[in-house]
Amino acid sequence: MKAALLLVLTVWLNVQYGGCAFSSSCSLPPSKWCSSLDSAIQCGVLKQCLMSNFTRSHQTADQVDVGLYYESLCPGCRLFLTQMLLPTWVLLEEIMSVTLVPYGNAQEKNVGGKYVFECQHGEQECLGNMIETCILNMTDASGAYTIIHCMETSDDVISSAKSCVDLFSPDLKWESIESCVNGDKGNQLMHQNALKTQALNPPHKYVPWITVNGAHTDDLQDKASTSLFSLVCSMYKGPKPAACGGSQRGFRSYSKNE
């Protein structure tokens, strides 16, 4: 599934910046593109599949972990997640890991043994946070990133959720996600996100709030917002992959924690 996200976002990046190798004759979901030689050829992604397998086998040092504490409807969060964080992970997936915590500036209170959440951008944001939290819990990381990227690049994050799940993770039933979102499981998962956010040191002041290997400083936030690609390349302790040395447009748009 990690290869699937690599390919999905590679295609997305190619569409954004010109050129696209993806074959329109491919009828397989992204999770199956690299499942066999025939499927890779049919979908026009053989080179990408071979490169993905090679780079994963040559990792020699701990990955750089980039954490994002965010809100599903926060404009700055959506921009950073879809145009900086996940595209960077696509390019540097062999040396970089991602931790997503959907909660941000929300507040929680315990009412009769169940947590009630109030979100900065209203009830729909709470729902979006909960859907993405359940998706992160119910599928592997790269599969979840693919779905979340699909949601956050759409015009309507909430209404696109089901179609994104059906498209990129057809084995994950939407009914099971709804059960998580509306039940005790989702409630407890969101409470854990609240605890993780509240445990940040220093405490977060806005979103998106970025950590690198668990640490946050103004300098790290600025460098991650300006060129996460360059930051990850510079912080990786092992031999640099061939991809290192590129550049990105910066994104700085915050929602303050008041």
Side-chain angles (χ1 to χ4, degrees):
M1 183 59 79
K2 195 173 205 179
L5 179 59
L6 172 65
L7 296 173
V8 169
L9 292 186
T10 298
V11 169
W12 180 82
L13 285 169
N14 284 335
V15 170
Q16 294 294 314
Y17 299 107
C20 183
F22 177 67
S23 172
S24 60
S25 65
C26 178
S27 59
L28 299 171
S31 60
K32 302 296 185 183
W33 289 353
C34 291
S35 60
S36 70
L37 178 62
D38 289 341
S39 62
I41 294 173
Q42 178 187 346
C43 295
V45 292
L46 178 60
K47 180 180 178 181
Q48 290 91 336
C49 291
L50 293 174
M51 290 177 61
S52 177
N53 289 334
F54 177 82
T55 53
R56 282 200 303 273
S57 67
H58 286 71
Q59 181 181 328
T60 59
D62 289 340
Q63 293 180 311
V64 178
D65 181 71
V66 180
L68 178 63
Y69 295 77
Y70 73 104
E71 301 164 348
S72 62
L73 299 188
C74 159
C77 299
R78 296 178 66 185
L79 196 64
F80 179 78
L81 191 153
T82 61
Q83 297 199 31
M84 183 73 83
L85 179 61
L86 294 183
T88 299
W89 188 83
V90 166
L91 296 172
L92 300 177
E93 52 95 16
E94 72 270 26
I95 67 169
M96 173 183 171
S97 61
V98 172
T99 300
L100 297 180
V101 184
Y103 186 79
N105 297 332
Q107 300 293 325
E108 72 168 359
K109 57 182 178 181
N110 191 316
V111 179
K114 186 173 183 178
Y115 294 98
V116 177
F117 304 98
E118 181 177 341
C119 296
Q120 183 172 10
H121 299 94
E123 293 182 3
Q124 285 294 97
E125 181 168 82
C126 281
L127 177 58
N129 291 349
M130 187 70 79
I131 291 172
E132 294 184 4
T133 294
C134 287
I135 288 170
L136 286 163
N137 178 260
M138 299 177 70
T139 187
D140 61 85
S142 57
Y145 301 159
T146 309
I147 296 168
I148 291 172
H149 183 272
C150 174
M151 291 172 60
E152 296 291 348
T153 53
S154 69
D155 291 335
D156 190 320
V157 173
I158 308 303
S159 65
S160 68
K162 183 179 184 303
S163 60
C164 289
V165 170
D166 291 343
L167 177 63
F168 293 113
S169 189
D171 294 333
L172 179 60
K173 301 304 180 184
W174 179 250
E175 292 76 12
S176 64
I177 296 175
E178 287 185 313
S179 178
C180 172
V181 167
N182 297 315
D184 292 338
K185 180 178 180 180
N187 194 256
Q188 286 298 318
L189 288 172
M190 188 58 65
H191 173 56
Q192 293 303 312
N193 284 357
L195 294 178
K196 292 175 184 177
T197 304
Q198 292 161 11
L200 285 168
N201 185 19
H204 86 285
K205 299 177 182 178
Y206 48 78
V207 289
W209 187 262
I210 304 163
T211 63
V212 182
N213 292 334
H216 174 94
T217 65
D218 291 342
D219 184 57
L220 286 173
Q221 178 85 23
D222 183 67
K223 289 179 178 177
S225 300
T226 302
S227 179
L228 181 63
F229 185 97
S230 298
L231 178 63
V232 172
C233 283
S234 68
M235 294 190 67
Y236 182 62
K237 303 301 183 183
K240 308 297 184 185
C244 283
S247 62
Q248 289 176 302
R249 297 170 296 172
F251 295 99
R252 302 181 191 176
S253 178
Y254 304 137
S255 291
K256 292 185 177 180
N257 181 22
E258 298 178 351

